[in-house]
Structures are given as structure tokens and as C-alpha cells.
Amino acid sequence: MTPRGLPNAWKSLHKRGYRPILTKAPLNESLAAALILMTGWRHETPFVDPLCGSGVLPIEAAWMALRRPPGLTRKRFGFQGWMDYDVQLWTALRDEARRGVGRTLPAPILGSDLRGDAVAFAIDNARAAGIGRLLRFDKRDVRDFRPPEGPPGVILCNPPYGERIGEETDLIPLYKSLGEVFAQRCKGWTAFVFTGNPMLADAIGLRPAAQIPLYNGKIACRLLRFELE
Ligand SMILES: C[S@@+](CC[C@H](N)C(=O)[O-])C[C@H]1O[C@@H](n2cnc3c(N)ncnc32)[C@H](O)[C@@H]1O
């Protein structure tokens, strides 16, 4: 049976329900949420992903800022079949969580991507996540990226890292540009890059203030932090 055919209660908890089809090299939703938590972003400053693909980082960031629990619209959980499942307690907890969801974001959350189809997909996903009117996605090459006016915030992205031989060399200019854009236009911001390729990480050309080792499935990756003073 395919995951699509599984009854709701059996579907993995990382499947939030807003991203029906997968684009190339998407981040799984729970890894995206973990990366956002690791940045230490506190919701009152802007959050930007200039290589947003399907929009998972801005969407997860917005749900956090709105205090919206990720399983809120899930119809059924596995524990609801347990012998001692307490329907009243669950209903009370779920209703309390629903009442606590905010309606507006404290600061802008933005995404952009070179590909128009990725941007259209991110917009659809944000709508499916119930936050279409709160987020902004634009089609833009990261080389033309400028952070929004106002107080600095957090940039978090996972650029492509070339899983096939030969691909990584083609990606060196992209990583180099990322470093130039950070250094020249993003003063005061904190930028995070999640990548599975140390050679491409070096091509950014900036010294990371921290490197957190992580795995994306089987791929050893690092979350690099750049303080753009
Ligand atoms: C690994 S994917 C990002 C995945 C995304 N976090 C997700 O889960 O869907 C990398 C993204 O970078 C985008 N990209 C590649 N080169 C770019 C460029 N020069 N400017 C902006 N986006 C670019 C690709 O279109 C792709 O969507």
C-alpha cells in the first residue's frame, strides 16, 4: 500500500497535509521545523528563505510564530484507538490549542526562488496550510536578493548541494554568490545555510560562527551560522 493510500491515523506525523506533491530535493517538514528551532529565531524579527522551493521553511516558521501546532487539522491520530483514550481530555486540549492560534504575524516571513513553478507551488502550499494571506513568495534569483527594510532578522536556506558527480562543480558559483550577497547586503542579519556538501560550504567564502552536524536522511549535512556584522 502506498503512503498516499494509508488511513490518516497511520500516516507519519511529519506529514502535515499541506504539501501534496514533492518538488526536487524537498526538506521533510519536521527537519525544516527542527532547523528553524536551531536558528534560535524568536518570531519578532523577519524570517527569509531566498531559495524556498516548496516553501516549507517559511510555512513552518509561520506556524510557529502563530503558535499553531502542526497536527491541528489532522483528522485522526493512532492513540485515538487505544483502550484508555480519553475523548473529553483530547477534545479539551485540541480546542485550547485552536483558541491559542494567532491571526497575524509579528514580523514578515518571506520566500523567493529562481523557479516560477516552485514559487507557484509554495503559494499553493501556504494556502493549503491556511496562511496564504500571511506569507509572501516571489520569483527571484538569489543574486538579486535584498533583505526587507527594517530591523534585521534570520535568513535560513538549503541551497541545492549536487548529489551526482559533476553537479557540485556547477553549484560553486551559486554558493559564492550567496556569500557575496550575505556580506554586501545583509549587514546585521544572521544567516543559516543547511548543506550536505563541505566543498560547496567553503565556496560561500565566509567564516561560519558555528556549524551543527546533522543528517538529512542518510546524507551527513551541516547547518552553518553566519553572523553578518
Ligand atoms: C534544495 S531546494 C530547496 C528545497 C526547499 N527548502 C524545499 O523543501 O522545498 C533548492 C532550491 O534552490 C532554488 N535555486 C537554485 N538556484 C537558485 C538561484 N540562483 N536563486 C534562487 N533560487 C535558486 C531551486 O529552484 C530549488 O527550489
Side-chain angles (χ1 to χ4, degrees), residues 9 74-87 90-91 94:
R74 194 181 176 96
K75 296 274 184 301
R76 198 170 157 79
F77 289 90
F79 66 79
Q80 290 172 303
W82 293 353
M83 296 288 280
D84 57 353
Y85 166 55
D86 182 339
V87 67
W90 169 245
T91 310
R94 191 201 53 203

Side-chain angles (χ1 to χ4, degrees), residues 191-204:
F192 293 82
V193 178
F194 181 64
T195 182
N197 188 313
M199 192 269 274
L200 291 173
D202 287 346
I204 295 173

Side-chain angles (χ1 to χ4, degrees), residues 25-27 51 53-54 56 113-115 140-143 158 174:
L27 275 183
L51 298 105
S54 63
V56 66
D113 199 283
L114 181 66
R115 295 179 52 148
R140 186 182 304 112
D141 191 321
V142 72
R143 294 170 181 93
N158 76 302
L174 173 65

Side-chain angles (χ1 to χ4, degrees), residues 19 22-29 32 35 49-58 112-119 121-122 125 138-145 156-163 171 173-175 177-178 194 216:
R19 199 165 57 161
L22 295 180
T23 43
K24 206 181 163 206
L27 275 183
N28 134 356
E29 291 86 333
L35 293 176
D49 177 359
L51 298 105
C52 70
S54 63
V56 66
L57 288 166
S112 51
D113 199 283
L114 181 66
R115 295 179 52 148
D117 57 346
V119 172
F121 190 41
N125 289 336
D138 293 305
K139 179 178 177 314
R140 186 182 304 112
D141 191 321
V142 72
R143 294 170 181 93
D144 300 324
F145 172 76
L156 171 61
C157 59
N158 76 302
Y161 41 81
E163 282 152 47
L171 289 168
L174 173 65
Y175 278 71
S177 303
L178 208 52
F194 181 64
N216 184 3

Side-chain angles (χ1 to χ4, degrees), residues 90-150:
W90 169 245
T91 310
L93 287 171
R94 191 201 53 203
D95 291 349
E96 186 187 329
R98 281 186 184 154
R99 283 193 300 274
V101 177
R103 289 173 176 276
T104 53
L105 294 172
I109 298 182
L110 312 170
S112 51
D113 199 283
L114 181 66
R115 295 179 52 148
D117 57 346
V119 172
F121 190 41
I123 291 171
D124 283 351
N125 289 336
R127 266 194 214 123
I131 47 176
R133 73 197 157 80
L134 298 179
L135 303 186
R136 201 174 125 202
F137 292 101
D138 293 305
K139 179 178 177 314
R140 186 182 304 112
D141 191 321
V142 72
R143 294 170 181 93
D144 300 324
F145 172 76
R146 281 178 195 281
E149 300 284 326

